[in-house]
Amino acid sequence: MTEQDFIPKSFKNTLDKGSFTWSSPSNIALVKYWGKKKNQIPEIPSIIFTLDTCRTTTMLSFSRKQSDEHFSFEVFLDGKQKDDFKPKIDTFFKRTETYLPFLKDYHFKIETSNTFPHSSGIASSASGMSALALCLMSVERSFNEAEMTNEFFNQKASFLARLGSGSACRSIEGDLIVWGNHKKIYGSSDLYGVKYPFQVHDNFRNYHDTILLVNKGEKQVSSSLGHNLMHGHPFAQERFKQAHNNLSKLINVFKKGDLDAFIEIIESEALTLHAMMMTSLPYFILMKPNTLEIIDKIWTFRQQTGLHLCFTLDAGANVHVLYPESEAEKIFEFIQNELVAYCQNGHYICDRIGFGAKQL
Ligand code: DP6
């Protein structure tokens, strides 16, 4: 598929008004997307676990208006008007207008809510932008019902979500999604996420992700700014090669269910992401002292027990503790007894691998 394939030819029967609701999950990257080219094209492929509990629900209502050169929309979070969300959505509409040529023909009301607290330091851009993209795809499908396959619907939703936020294109389906061209992964694309096409061992079924909320404040450095700092970064080329290699290695790890090899790749990816931040110019550190305390405790506990828990990090201080279902009881007990003390107000979220967005 190319960009051209996502430009609709004509609509059979447009509606005057209507509304659609989607609930879309967040996702956690195993191989991390960090660095992008023009038009939201990633420098490297990434692979993620779709999450289950952390979700955004968005209801999009649309009513026909006089078409002019402006987008017309209002945004609400938990019932309250959120004008500070508008610039990001306006950019998203500008980037997607070619593919959704009806955007200026309607007034949109976007009503959204998250299952996780807004100020939890968990990015809502992946779940939020994917939910909005799915709602817009439902609008498009309602104009041309018979002709759209589910496969196209999901692919275009992912393609649109990417234009809102890169990580959002990986939140349409589950449970393992790859985004970005990788020579060993057939069908992988820079334009949208695809389901991981190879065998995955039962060890990875129902994998847990307990998210420890170390710092619930707003990020000091936005992801977009961070991605840009990879341009001309002294270690960028090596990092890009490493991400390709790590994804290649994971193919065998998933097939064999090799948890030790999994842990090594996942923790190395998390630390490399933060190493890129610390070695860019300007440099910055998003981890907090408690992030390091938690990592240290995880390493000690793993060494003492041989259990297969590991950590990963996003662009923030929160720690995602990943572990297999078969060891969940003991590991969760450890998390409660030893790690929760390092969370802000003792807050954490129990999540696990999930299966994608749902229409409500
Ligand atoms: C560190 O998707 O938030 O979480 O495309 O600029 O919206 P934009 O960036 P975003 O970047 C996420 C980066 C990351 C790693 C990852 O999720 O792969």
Side-chain angles (χ1 to χ4, degrees):
M1 296 287 268
T2 67
E3 275 107 335
Q4 295 300 315
D5 297 318
F6 295 114
I7 302 175
K9 303 216 166 45
S10 64
F11 294 123
K12 285 216 174 94
N13 30 331
T14 58
L15 304 176
D16 282 340
K17 60 181 180 155
S19 88
F20 293 101
T21 305
W22 279 87
S23 153
S24 201
S26 185
N27 66 73
I28 180 69
L30 306 172
V31 171
K32 308 284 182 182
Y33 150 54
W34 199 242
K36 62 179 167 183
K37 304 178 200 160
K38 243 176 68 198
N39 299 328
Q40 294 286 100
I41 296 298
E43 288 279 9
I44 47 175
S46 55
I47 183 164
I48 59 98
F49 278 157
T50 307
L51 295 180
D52 185 38
T53 311
C54 289
R55 308 182 80 91
T56 297
T57 298
T58 296
M59 176 156 93
L60 178 76
S61 312
F62 58 102
S63 50
R64 197 185 294 280
K65 70 167 177 69
Q66 194 78 322
S67 192
D68 55 25
E69 74 271 30
H70 300 293
F71 299 116
S72 168
F73 62 94
E74 48 193 334
V75 199
F76 297 83
L77 174 69
D78 298 327
K80 289 196 198 83
Q81 196 137 1
K82 277 298 258 186
D83 286 344
D84 47 327
F85 285 7
K86 286 184 106 173
K88 199 155 186 197
I89 294 173
D90 197 67
T91 304
F92 173 64
F93 279 180
K94 280 192 192 117
R95 288 181 187 162
T96 53
E97 196 192 356
T98 314
Y99 311 101
L100 300 168
F102 54 83
L103 283 180
K104 284 181 178 152
D105 301 340
Y106 291 92
H107 173 76
F108 294 98
K109 186 175 182 192
I110 302 163
E111 290 169 275
T112 180
S113 61
N114 299 322
T115 55
F116 47 91
H118 179 57
S119 57
S120 60
I122 297 185
S124 57
S125 66
S127 51
M129 282 297 171
S130 55
L132 181 57
L134 283 157
C135 289
L136 287 163
M137 279 311 294
S138 286
V139 177
E140 180 179 332
R141 179 157 65 184
S142 73
F143 296 166
N144 250 348
E145 189 79 61
E147 281 149 35
M148 197 182 290
T149 62
N150 274 338
E151 192 189 354
F152 180 83
F153 181 96
N154 284 335
Q155 226 161 47
K156 182 163 172 184
S158 172
F159 172 85
L160 296 172
R162 185 195 98 242
L163 295 170
S165 175
S167 53
C169 79
R170 309 176 306 205
S171 274
I172 306 295
E173 294 180 272
D175 44 354
L176 268 169
I177 302 291
V178 177
W179 167 43
N181 256 317
H182 186 276
K183 63 177 190 300
K184 293 199 174 147
I185 299 182
Y186 175 76
S188 61
S189 168
D190 285 346
L191 298 180
Y192 45 80
V194 298
K195 271 162 127 18
Y196 175 74
F198 304 127
Q199 198 184 333
V200 180
H201 192 279
D202 274 354
N203 281 351
F204 295 101
R205 200 177 287 241
N206 236 338
Y207 225 72
H208 290 249
D209 177 4
T210 301
I211 309 165
L212 304 176
L213 304 177
V214 170
N215 189 291
K216 302 202 255 170
E218 288 279 313
K219 276 192 261 180
Q220 306 110 300
V221 181
S222 75
S223 292
S224 279
L225 220 134
H227 287 293
N228 280 338
L229 294 177
M230 288 303 280
H231 295 301
H233 190 295
F235 306 132
Q237 294 314 317
E238 280 307 308
R239 162 62 194 147
F240 298 158
K241 270 190 236 156
Q242 181 200 38
H244 279 271
N245 287 339
N246 279 344
L247 188 41
S248 294
K249 284 191 211 160
L250 275 178
I251 295 174
N252 224 3
V253 167
F254 282 131
K255 189 167 155 199
K256 292 211 177 109
D258 185 342
L259 294 176
D260 292 323
F262 177 77
I263 288 170
E264 189 175 279
I265 295 167
I266 274 37
E267 291 190 346
S268 164
E269 274 289 320
L271 293 177
T272 304
L273 169 71
H274 283 257
M276 290 298 112
M277 299 171 185
M278 289 190 242
T279 49
S280 56
L281 275 178
Y283 41 79
F284 57 105
I285 301 180
L286 297 183
M287 291 186 284
K288 296 285 178 199
N290 281 356
T291 312
L292 297 178
E293 292 284 1
I294 290 170
I295 292 174
D296 193 48
K297 288 259 172 195
I298 288 175
W299 284 347
T300 306
F301 181 72
R302 193 164 72 214
Q303 206 173 20
Q304 284 166 352
T305 60
L307 293 171
H308 295 94
L309 70 169
C310 68
F311 70 86
T312 187
L313 307 166
D314 265 345
N318 296 336
V319 182
H320 291 247
V321 188
L322 303 179
Y323 49 101
E325 169 84 352
S326 60
E327 300 174 4
E329 215 173 298
K330 284 190 193 131
I331 293 173
F332 187 59
E333 197 182 305
F334 158 73
I335 291 173
Q336 282 180 307
N337 292 342
E338 306 260 349
L339 302 186
V340 169
Y342 297 102
C343 298
Q344 203 175 339
N345 304 324
H347 286 168
Y348 61 97
I349 297 171
C350 290
D351 211 334
R352 59 174 65 202
I353 198 164
F355 295 92
K358 293 177 211 148
Q359 187 167 11
L360 304 180

